[in-house]
Amino acid sequence: MIRVSKIAHATYETPDLDKQTEYYTEILGLTVAARDKDTVYLASTVDHHSVVLKRGASAQCTRLGFQIAQDGDLDAFEKQVAGHGAKTERKKDPDPSISEVVSFSDPKGTTIEVFKREAFSHQKFGKKGIVPHKLGHVAFHVKDVKKVTKFYCDVLGFRESDWMADFFSFLRCGPDHHTINLMETGSDRHFHTAFELRDWGHMHEACDLLSLNGYKLLWGPGRHGIGHNLFAYHRGPNGLIVETFAELDRMNEELGYFEPRPWHRDNPQRPKVWEKDPSASNLWGVMSGDEMMK
Ligand SMILES: [Fe+2]
């Protein structure tokens, strides 16, 4: 099968486009790569854009972009998707720097755009704000976690990294422990969008920068059990939750276990089903409050 190998971008509708753009540039430290009246393309590095903001009635994540390998076969990928009963659409020049996408909907209604990165934009990291390495993962509330998980694995080639009991899946499409995570809660909607930072020092700077600009943490800093990443969550101006993280587990696909780390409890640490236990959420002990679930 043809597998996607990277999350490339996430697209959000947002009512106050200017305010959200200011947050993404001044606080998160992404760069405006292109914009028109109703759309802003935000970059973190070599890719033309990692985040797309579109003017819309309510704040929501509407689309996810994934890359297949540079020498991958987009025609064969489209056949693979159609073979699973999904209705596909082919679009030429849908966004700057992307010449062709295969577009379809996942079972929870998010548009998926799969493409080949034919050229890099050679952008440099910005110098103000948090400046993450990259868009790391997007997490969703879902009505049917088994159905959506199966779709991502069978149609897009994701692998299951871990589960929390039978209601929360963590799926990878490359070495990072998770790129998509899905929590069954009774509704289909965005849960959080996560950006990767360098290390603990960068997390520390980010938390201070957020605080100095009036953004209070909802949860963290802490260390998740599942994925073992350092985490801190806050809410952006449009109300959607953003996570900054570092030290996420990385899979050695040939050997079938995550790169060894001193904070692991299993040696080696392999994909598994975790019990619904506080340490699966935060090894450092502090649980999330109701705010995280709103
Ligand atoms: Fe996360």
Side-chain angles (χ1 to χ4, degrees):
M1 80 179 300
I2 298 170
R3 300 176 184 274
V4 301
S5 54
K6 183 194 146 180
I7 188 166
H9 58 260
T11 301
Y12 303 85
E13 286 185 4
T14 197
D16 191 336
L17 187 62
D18 291 340
K19 185 148 199 210
Q20 196 66 14
T21 302
E22 186 186 13
Y23 160 79
Y24 263 102
T25 52
E26 304 298 315
I27 307 299
L28 279 183
L30 272 60
T31 308
V32 174
R35 72 185 305 166
D36 60 34
K37 194 167 73 62
D38 294 319
T39 310
V40 180
Y41 296 90
L42 293 142
S44 58
T45 175
V46 293
D47 296 342
H48 178 270
H49 53 271
S50 304
V51 169
V52 184
L53 300 176
K54 285 183 180 288
R55 204 183 300 279
S58 61
Q60 55 176 327
C61 177
T62 54
R63 300 186 205 174
L64 296 171
F66 296 101
Q67 279 172 241
I68 58 170
Q70 243 159 324
D71 59 355
D73 184 339
L74 212 52
D75 293 331
F77 180 79
E78 186 172 9
K79 280 198 192 108
Q80 172 176 304
V81 176
H84 288 277
K87 189 174 174 297
T88 62
E89 205 181 330
R90 202 69 172 252
K91 292 182 188 160
K92 301 267 186 201
D93 301 316
D95 285 301
S97 83
I98 300 173
S99 61
E100 193 168 26
V101 298
V102 174
S103 169
F104 50 98
S105 179
D106 76 9
K108 61 182 165 49
T110 309
T111 300
I112 307 295
E113 298 171 323
V114 175
F115 67 100
K116 294 195 285 182
R117 175 79 66 198
E118 280 146 10
F120 292 102
S121 297
H122 303 290
Q123 292 167 133
K124 291 183 176 157
F125 286 98
K127 289 199 169 54
K128 65 179 174 193
I130 294 171
V131 192
H133 282 170
K134 65 179 183 186
L135 170 65
H137 59 269
V138 186
F140 292 88
H141 296 268
V142 291
K143 288 181 188 159
D144 187 340
V145 69
K146 288 200 176 66
K147 184 177 176 184
V148 185
T149 297
K150 189 170 165 33
F151 182 89
Y152 274 82
C153 292
D154 292 353
V155 178
L156 289 149
F158 275 72
R159 280 82 74 197
E160 294 178 5
S161 282
D162 278 313
W163 278 82
M164 190 191 290
D166 59 356
F167 69 96
F168 200 173
S169 68
F170 295 76
L171 310 175
R172 69 181 183 280
C173 64
D176 289 344
H177 178 278
H178 56 277
T179 299
I180 293 292
N181 36 343
L182 306 164
M183 181 168 59
E184 189 169 291
T185 58
S187 64
D188 288 328
R189 62 188 173 95
H190 176 267
F191 177 20
H192 64 265
T193 298
F195 293 93
E196 185 186 60
L197 308 194
R198 284 187 303 281
D199 54 18
W200 176 243
H202 197 185
M203 294 282 293
H204 172 189
E205 285 169 26
C207 292
D208 275 332
L209 189 142
L210 287 165
S211 155
L212 284 165
N213 286 280
Y215 294 92
K216 302 289 184 209
L217 297 186
L218 296 175
W219 186 28
R223 184 185 291 285
H224 285 313
I226 298 176
H228 295 89
N229 47 308
L230 300 168
F231 67 85
Y233 295 89
H234 68 280
R235 212 176 275 282
N238 66 2
L240 297 184
I241 296 176
V242 171
E243 176 189 8
T244 50
F245 72 94
E247 298 183 345
L248 181 67
D249 280 340
R250 286 177 66 84
M251 169 57 80
N252 183 322
E253 211 64 63
E254 257 119 63
L255 298 179
Y257 58 80
F258 299 103
E259 292 293 337
R261 295 289 183 263
W263 42 80
H264 286 169
R265 270 55 169 177
D266 297 349
N267 299 287
Q269 188 76 48
R270 297 181 190 278
K272 66 173 185 177
V273 178
W274 294 59
E275 285 178 33
K276 194 191 171 197
D277 179 89
S279 64
S281 298
N282 189 357
L283 292 166
W284 294 355
V286 180
M287 291 300 100
S288 62
D290 295 342
E291 263 298 308
M292 277 296 292
M293 298 303 284
K294 287 180 187 165

